[in-house]
């Protein structure tokens, strides 16, 4: 209910041998079968330990995929897990990008106010569904967040450099606001360079 694409997140991106004349159902079936192999028993068991179902894991993994480079996946996951545990809004920019179709580094107030079950600036918890097809690394990070970042209660992150994807992590809102004040001009400049 409310999803843009029912199979978003479940059509596993991989290399497939497809015969000419194969039906859409056959191709989709192959991709879904591959997803079931990737998301195997070990992942299902770990999801149960965390009190999550497959859809929640894939949704979280899709956000992680869009938020960070692989090196930071587990740290971003820790921030999201900490925020979920505290009942905080996830406030993930890529969920807004998914709705607006624009990948702006500096979101406008109109972007933040978009009325959508994907907008994690307005909707509590996870969005209504995945926002991309996540990699195995992102799925693994959703299930195994960085333990030290969980224990140290990191709650925020922001981009340090839009061109490299490097992130700055913070424990407190005050620390996060200081980081945003430093890096926000870079986000605006990056958007301007891309004509946004």
């Amino acid at each position: 209910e409310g999803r843009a694409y029912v199979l978003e997140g479940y059509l596993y991106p991989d290399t497939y041998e497809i015969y000419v004349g194969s039906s859409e159902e056959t191709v989709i079936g192959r991709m879904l079968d591959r997803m079931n192999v990737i998301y195997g028993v070990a992942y299902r068991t770990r999801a149960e330990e965390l009190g999550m179902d497959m859809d929640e894991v894939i949704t979280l993994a899709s956000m992680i995929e869009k938020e960070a480079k692989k090196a930071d996946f587990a740290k971003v996951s820790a921030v999201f897990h900490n925020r979920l545990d505290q009942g905080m809004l996830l406030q993930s920019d890529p969920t807004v990008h998914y709705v607006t179709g624009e990948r702006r580094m500096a979101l406008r107030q109109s972007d933040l106010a978009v009325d959508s079950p994907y907008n994690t600036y307005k909707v509590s918890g996870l969005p209504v569904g995945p926002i991309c097809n996540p990699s195995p690394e992102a799925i693994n990070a959703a299930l195994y967040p960085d333990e030290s970042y969980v224990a140290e209660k990191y709650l925020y992150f922001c981009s340090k450099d839009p061109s490299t994807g490097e992130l700055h992590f913070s424990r407190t809102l005050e620390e996060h606001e200081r980081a945003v004040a430093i890096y926000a001009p870079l986000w605006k400049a990056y958007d301007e360079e891309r004509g946004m």
Side-chain angles (χ1 to χ4, degrees):
E1 184 68 33
R3 288 193 183 198
Y5 304 101
V6 175
L7 293 178
E8 184 83 76
Y10 292 91
L11 299 176
Y12 189 76
D14 207 345
T15 302
Y16 298 92
E17 287 187 15
I18 306 291
Y19 293 106
V20 173
S22 293
S23 69
E24 292 89 349
E25 291 82 6
T26 299
V27 175
I28 290 169
R30 296 272 311 276
M31 297 175 89
L32 292 173
D33 289 345
R34 182 71 178 129
M35 183 60 167
N36 279 326
V37 169
I38 296 298
Y39 195 88
V41 174
Y43 280 176
R44 292 178 200 284
T45 302
R46 175 62 177 162
E48 286 177 22
E49 290 171 6
L50 294 173
M52 299 174 78
D53 62 29
M54 181 180 185
D55 199 53
E56 291 169 326
V57 171
I58 299 304
T59 299
L60 179 57
S62 73
M63 293 168 58
I64 294 166
E65 184 78 40
K66 290 295 187 179
E67 284 282 11
K69 301 287 187 192
K70 288 179 184 172
D72 283 331
F73 279 0
K75 293 175 184 175
V76 168
S77 178
V79 168
F80 285 147
H81 277 279
N82 286 342
R83 291 177 78 95
L84 287 167
D85 288 347
Q86 292 196 21
M88 297 173 69
L89 292 173
L90 294 179
Q91 298 180 321
S92 171
D93 291 7
T95 64
V96 175
H97 300 156
Y98 187 76
V99 177
T100 64
E102 288 186 322
R103 189 158 169 75
R104 298 178 61 84
M105 288 297 299
L107 293 179
R108 302 168 294 206
Q109 284 304 315
S110 60
D111 297 323
L112 300 175
V114 168
D115 187 23
S116 168
Y118 287 97
N119 183 354
T120 56
Y121 279 87
K122 292 183 76 173
V123 175
S124 295
L126 293 166
V128 70
I131 59 171
C132 72
N133 295 307
S135 64
E137 293 87 357
I139 296 169
N140 193 70
L143 292 166
Y144 296 95
D146 184 292
E147 291 179 12
S148 65
Y149 273 56
V150 170
E152 293 175 33
K153 301 195 183 322
Y154 277 88
L155 293 171
Y156 304 93
F157 62 88
C158 69
S159 173
K160 285 174 79 170
D161 184 346
S163 60
T164 66
E166 188 179 359
L167 300 177
H168 179 276
F169 293 86
S170 304
R171 292 182 188 90
T172 67
L173 179 58
E174 187 175 85
E175 184 185 342
H176 176 65
E177 287 174 343
R178 283 195 304 268
V180 168
I182 293 167
Y183 301 118
L186 298 176
W187 311 339
K188 290 177 185 165
Y190 185 78
D191 287 343
E192 287 170 9
E193 286 172 13
R194 297 182 307 138
M196 302 191 90

